[in-house]
């Protein structure tokens, strides 16, 4: 008897435990939920300290943090627009998921995959606060904190052999605090070119999945595993400083192009030019320019009474778009009185050049660039020149951390050490963005003067304002880095009428360029010297070749 009782006891324990777990699991999944009771609503002053601490995570950020703004108007807008947003988002999901589904059809015995139902439900997400950053860049940075406890109806049908399997997503909850950056701001609707999104912390994502009517997330251990896996995957893709960049405007229509290299031009000589003067000779010189460049054209020296001049003069031109830009050469006969006579011209597309390779050209001069011009058949002489395109180094444009430390793409480029050798020719670009609170004693018509190594450049004058916006760029080509140089910028005001004292200084600033060389770029606001509250916004870049 002792042996039999022991045997049946072990048998009952071995069968009863699995059977009990199986029955309990099915009862847990398929049992009807009890009716929820109405919550008890009480004022905050009636709650004790423990209840307040439990309630604190649910309080909106605009209550706890003064940096966040209340955006009830935006929540109202989303609520009213939600039925239309639901249809638009679901349509995008269908079109995006369809190619992915087609890749799996025919694999793993899968015959078909399709959405049976796809709706985000009737409950829209709510924004609990919005924080907007003020930066020196041409961008808008904001951080909304939103929560979505939705009731979506998403049912996916999978036909596996002859078996129809339905997968349903239920009880979806998403809590996230993304950083959304609209940049760069441009004068083309919708006034920004890209949307850059990154997450400031791991999001909270909670949901249930029903397969054939059973909630598989109720399986012990599976729920936590899925939660952690989703958080890790999202964090690896979009957690700051990783970003998701969504292009809005085509880069070709923005009209904002940065220099990409320098074109070295050596005007060698010309042959058999036209005789324009009374004594059967000419006084030739050459003008050089790139299309799309608003900088003044370069000029060679004038060769007096010479139809076969030799110059051997070298110039540097800033290139912004090699595939489309064209070098324009114009040969003129200098006249002491009146307009100079045009001897001929020629065009050289930069796409004919190979970077770092010097190419020689011997070109016939034409009357104009029009192919239908009949006078192009007339011989006007030839011009010889040498062209070399030298692009900037890819790692010479470093992005420094902006004021306030807001997010951006990982550049992987760090600041050069003071002991690191920084050499080579390059381009110094100075952009005068604008000024704030500049005030003159007699008038406020501000403009800015930039002085560097004895060369002076000036912005346009803006009348009757204390907060001018210029956004003008000036460029200086240098043979060596300006490590020990300073750039002098002064804001002036000019009286529009005739006066004995027509100009006033509204303040100045001297900027040491050592940091610009090591960082590649600075973008800061400087307090103007000799100004009560004046501030000048300047962006300076150093790009090496």
């Amino acid at each position: 008897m002792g042996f039999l009782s022991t045997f049946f006891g072990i048998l009952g324990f071995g069968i009863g435990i699995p059977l009990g777990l199986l029955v309990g699991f099915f009862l847990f999944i398929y049992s009807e939920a009890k009716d929820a009771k109405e919550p008890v609503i009480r004022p905050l002053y009636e709650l004790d300290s423990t209840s307040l601490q439990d309630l604190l995570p649910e309080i909106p950020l605009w209550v706890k943090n003064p940096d966040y703004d209340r955006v009830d108007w935006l929540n109202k807008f989303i609520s009213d627009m939600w039925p239309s947003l639901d249809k638009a988002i679901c349509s995008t999901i269908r079109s995006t998921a369809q190619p992915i589904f087609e890749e799996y059809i025919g694999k793993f015995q899968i015959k078909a995959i399709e959405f049976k139902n796809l709706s985000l439900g009737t409950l829209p997400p709510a924004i609990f606060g919005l924080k907007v950053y003020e930066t020196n860049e041409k961008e808008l940075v904001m951080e909304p904190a939103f929560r979505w406890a939705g009731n979506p109806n998403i049912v996916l049908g999978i036909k596996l052999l002859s078996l129809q399997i339905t997968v349903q997503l239920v009880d979806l909850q998403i809590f996230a605090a993304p950083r959304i950056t609209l940049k760069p701001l441009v004068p083309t609707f919708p006034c920004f070119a890209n949307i850059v999104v990154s997450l400031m912390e791991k999001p909270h994502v909670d949901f249930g999945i029903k397969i054939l009517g059973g909630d598989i997330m109720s399986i012990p251990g599976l729920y936590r595993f899925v939660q952690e896996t989703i958080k890790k995957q999202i964090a690896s893709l979009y957690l700051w400083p990783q970003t998701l960049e969504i292009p809005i405007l085509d880069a070709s229509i923005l009209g904002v192009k940065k220099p990409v290299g320098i074109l070295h031009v050596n005007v060698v000589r010309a042959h058999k030019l036209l005789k324009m003067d009374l004594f059967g000779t000419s006084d030739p010189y050459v003008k050089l320019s790139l299309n799309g460049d608003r900088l003044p054209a370069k000029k060679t020296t004038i060769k007096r009474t010479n139809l076969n001049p030799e110059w051997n003069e070298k110039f540097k031109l800033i290139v912004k778009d090699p595939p489309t830009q064209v070098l324009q050469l114009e040969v003129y006969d200098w006249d002491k009185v009146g307009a100079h006579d045009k001897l001929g011209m020629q065009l050289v597309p930069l796409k004919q050049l190979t970077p770092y390779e010097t190419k020689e050209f011997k070109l016939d001069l034409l009357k104009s660039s029009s192919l239908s011009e009949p006078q192009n058949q007339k011989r006007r002489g030839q011009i010889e020149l040498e062209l070399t395109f030298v692009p900037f180094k890819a790692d010479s444009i470093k992005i420094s951390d902006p004021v306030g430390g807001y997010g951006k793409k990982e550049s992987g480029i760090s600041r050069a050490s003071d002991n690191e050798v920084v050499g080579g020719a390059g381009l110094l670009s100075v952009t005068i963005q604008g000024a704030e609170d500049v005030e003159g004693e007699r008038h406020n018509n501000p403009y800015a003067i930039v002085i560097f190594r004895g060369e002076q450049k000036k912005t346009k004058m803006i009348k009757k304002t204390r907060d001018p916006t210029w956004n003008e760029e000036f460029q200086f080509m240098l043979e060596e880095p300006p490590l020990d140089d300073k750039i002098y910028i002064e804001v002036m005001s000019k009286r529009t009428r005739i006066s004995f004292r027509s100009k006033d200084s509204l303040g100045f600033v001297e900027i040491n360029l050592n940091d610009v060389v090591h960082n590649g770029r600075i973008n800061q606001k400087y307090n103007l010297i000799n100004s009560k509250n004046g501030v000048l916004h300047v962006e300076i870049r150093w790009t090496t070749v």
Side-chain angles (χ1 to χ4, degrees), residues 266-489:
N266 180 20
V267 182
V268 182
R269 64 179 65 87
H271 303 283
K272 301 179 180 179
L273 298 178
L274 294 179
K275 303 173 183 179
M276 304 299 292
D277 294 341
L278 294 176
F279 300 101
T281 185
S282 293
D283 304 319
Y285 69 93
V286 183
K287 289 177 63 176
L288 308 93
S289 63
L290 289 173
N291 66 317
D293 194 351
R294 291 179 290 181
L295 296 176
K298 307 285 187 180
K299 296 181 181 180
T300 66
T301 57
I302 301 170
K303 298 298 182 179
R304 304 282 184 175
T305 60
N306 196 333
L307 298 180
N308 299 285
E310 290 207 17
W311 286 286
N312 277 314
E313 297 182 16
K314 298 180 180 180
F315 303 90
K316 296 178 183 178
L317 302 176
I318 299 168
V319 179
K320 295 183 178 180
D321 191 11
T324 62
Q325 280 191 293
V326 175
L327 174 65
Q328 182 171 332
L329 301 163
E330 295 176 307
V331 184
Y332 286 91
D333 171 41
W334 179 85
D335 288 326
K336 190 173 183 180
V337 179
H340 300 178
D341 298 321
K342 188 174 181 179
L343 300 178
M345 59 88 61
Q346 189 55 269
L347 302 176
V348 182
L350 300 192
K351 61 183 180 181
Q352 298 182 5
L353 304 179
T354 302
Y356 306 108
E357 292 185 7
T358 300
K359 190 171 183 179
E360 298 180 357
F361 291 87
K362 190 173 184 179
L363 306 171
D364 293 327
L365 294 175
L366 305 175
K367 171 67 175 179
S368 70
S369 59
S370 176
L371 298 178
S372 60
E373 174 63 50
Q375 294 193 30
N376 282 341
Q377 303 299 324
K378 180 181 178 180
R379 291 187 176 274
R380 296 177 172 272
Q382 293 180 322
I383 186 171
E384 294 184 21
L385 64 153
E386 299 173 350
L387 302 181
T388 307
F389 172 61
V390 181
F392 292 136
K393 293 181 180 178
D395 60 348
S396 66
I397 304 178
K398 308 180 182 70
I399 300 178
S400 60
D401 288 337
V403 177
Y406 52 86
K408 57 184 177 298
K409 280 188 174 181
E410 284 186 303
S411 64
I413 303 171
S414 59
R415 187 188 190 279
S417 64
D418 292 336
N419 295 327
E420 184 179 346
V421 178
V422 182
L427 177 69
L428 183 68
S429 302
V430 182
T431 303
I432 309 297
Q433 302 282 8
E436 301 173 8
D437 296 328
V438 291
E439 184 176 357
E441 295 181 2
R442 300 170 183 82
H443 39 79
N444 288 291
N445 304 311
Y447 63 94
I449 296 176
V450 181
I451 301 176
F452 179 69
R453 292 186 177 178
E455 187 176 354
Q456 177 175 308
K457 299 186 179 183
K458 184 174 68 173
T459 68
K460 62 179 178 292
M461 181 179 68
I462 302 179
K463 297 180 180 180
K464 297 180 181 181
T465 180
R466 297 180 180 179
D467 303 302
T469 300
W470 294 292
N471 195 24
E472 293 189 35
E473 183 178 3
F474 305 103
Q475 297 167 336
F476 304 89
M477 282 184 288
L478 309 176
E479 296 297 332
E480 57 185 14
L483 287 169
D484 300 321
D485 288 280
K486 293 182 179 181
I487 190 166
Y488 178 88
I489 306 173

Side-chain angles (χ1 to χ4, degrees), residues 133 135 137 139-143 179-183 196-200 240-243 399-410:
Y133 286 89
T135 72
E137 306 295 328
E139 61 187 13
L140 175 62
V141 184
M142 52 188 172
E143 289 184 5
R179 173 171 288 171
I180 302 174
T181 305
L182 310 179
K183 68 175 186 179
V196 181
V197 182
S198 60
L199 297 173
M200 305 313 297
W240 187 88
Q242 305 294 336
T243 61
I399 300 178
S400 60
D401 288 337
V403 177
Y406 52 86
K408 57 184 177 298
K409 280 188 174 181
E410 284 186 303

Side-chain angles (χ1 to χ4, degrees), residues 94 101 112-119 153-159 164-167:
R94 285 183 184 275
F101 292 164
I113 306 176
E114 62 179 356
F115 284 108
K116 299 294 185 181
N117 294 305
L118 180 57
S119 173
N153 182 17
I154 302 176
V155 180
L156 187 67
I158 303 175
K159 188 174 182 181
Q164 186 71 28
I165 301 175
T166 59
V167 181

Side-chain angles (χ1 to χ4, degrees), residues 244-265:
L244 169 66
E245 186 166 336
I246 305 171
I248 302 298
L249 293 177
D250 188 358
S252 61
I253 67 175
L254 297 181
V256 179
K257 295 181 179 179
K258 296 295 183 181
V260 297
I262 294 178
L263 178 65
H264 295 260
V265 183

